[in-house]
Amino acid sequence: MTSGVVVRPVTAEDEKFLWAMLFEAAHAGEQGMVSPDELKGVPELACYVEGWGRAGDFGVVGGRDGELEGAAWVRWFTHDKPAYGYVDDETPELAIGVAPGLRGVGVGTALLDEVVKEARLHCPGVSLSVRLSNPALRLYRRAGFVEVPGTEMIDRSGGSSITMVLRFS
Ligand SMILES: CC(C)(COP(=O)(O)OP(=O)(O)OC[C@H]1O[C@@H](n2cnc3c(N)ncnc32)[C@H](O)[C@@H]1OP(=O)(O)O)[C@@H](O)C(=O)NCCC(=O)NCCS
C-alpha cells in the first residue's frame, strides 16, 4: 500500500460515495451533469453502482488522514447486459475515481493495488474501459493491464475509449 493511504472494503453505507466517485470516473461534469444523482437516469453509467451490495460486488474506499478520497470497485456484467469494459462473464469490470484536487499523490495507486489483490481471490482477471486521452492509462499499464485489441470505440463524450484487461494467469 502507498504510504499514508489507508483503504478499507466498501460497505453498503458507502453507496453515496460510490455515486460521487462514479461521477468522477465517468467524467460526468464534462458531459454537463452537475450532481451524481443525475447518473441514476443514465442506465449505461448507473449500472456500475445501482443497488450496490449484489452478490459478487466488492471494492475499496480510502485516502489519507482518515478521509474518504477515492474508491475502486468491481462488478460482474453479462453478455446480454454488458457495461463499457465488458470482456466476458467471468471477468468483472473495474471503476475507479479519486476526488478532484486530491489526484496524483498515490491514492488511486493504493486503491487499485488493493482491489486487484482482492480480485485475485475471486476471478481470473479484471477489465476496464478508459479514454485513450486519459493519463490513467499509465496507471493501468503499470498495474499490468493491457489493451484488448479491436475494442476502440467512440464514447459518450465523442472521444475514443478502449477496453483493458488484467489477467491473473
Ligand atoms: C485515475 C485516478 C483514479 C488515479 O488516481 P490518483 O490518485 O490520481 O493516482 P496516483 O496518484 O496513485 O497515480 C498517478 C497516476 O494516476 C494517473 N493520474 C494522475 N492524475 C490524474 C488525473 N487528473 N486524471 C486521470 N489520471 C490521473 C496517471 O496515470 C498517473 O500516473 P503518472 O504519474 O505516470 O502520470 C484519478 O486521477 C481520477 O479519479 N481521475 C479522474 C477520473 C478517471 O479518469 N477515472 C478513471 C476512468 S477509466
Side-chain angles (χ1 to χ4, degrees):
M1 187 180 300
T2 304
S3 124
V5 180
V6 175
V7 307
R8 62 161 175 80
V10 178
T11 68
E13 288 73 45
D14 295 315
E15 185 175 327
K16 190 168 179 215
F17 185 66
L18 290 190
W19 283 109
M21 292 302 102
L22 179 63
F23 189 86
E24 302 304 328
H27 304 276
E30 290 170 29
Q31 295 168 41
M33 292 186 228
V34 294
S35 151
D37 283 341
E38 286 178 66
L39 293 168
K40 295 175 184 172
V42 184
E44 63 268 34
L45 295 176
C47 64
Y48 289 94
V49 173
E50 204 155 49
W52 181 262
R54 277 187 210 152
D57 286 346
F58 65 91
V60 291
V61 293
R64 296 154 302 155
D65 302 321
E67 299 293 327
L68 279 193
E69 298 182 330
W73 67 100
V74 304
R75 210 166 215 194
W76 263 268
F77 294 98
T78 54
H79 179 70
D80 51 340
K81 248 185 155 181
Y84 282 111
Y86 174 85
V87 292
D88 58 46
D89 284 16
E90 280 71 50
T91 308
E93 185 173 337
L94 172 89
I96 182 168
V98 168
L102 303 172
R103 297 172 186 160
V105 296
V107 176
T109 300
L111 291 164
L112 185 61
D113 286 354
E114 208 54 32
V115 82
V116 164
K117 203 187 286 176
E118 183 68 18
R120 283 181 188 278
L121 306 174
H122 301 291
C123 44
V126 176
S127 69
L128 58 83
S129 173
V130 60
R131 290 181 185 180
L132 280 171
S133 58
N134 192 332
L137 262 169
R138 288 192 291 275
L139 174 69
Y140 300 143
R141 286 192 180 123
R142 274 201 293 277
F145 283 83
V146 295
E147 300 175 25
V148 180
T151 56
E152 189 169 336
M153 59 171 281
I154 303 301
D155 59 34
R156 289 176 53 83
S157 68
S160 289
S161 286
I162 49 157
T163 298
M164 299 182 87
V165 69
L166 172 62
R167 294 276 179 216
F168 300 140
S169 53

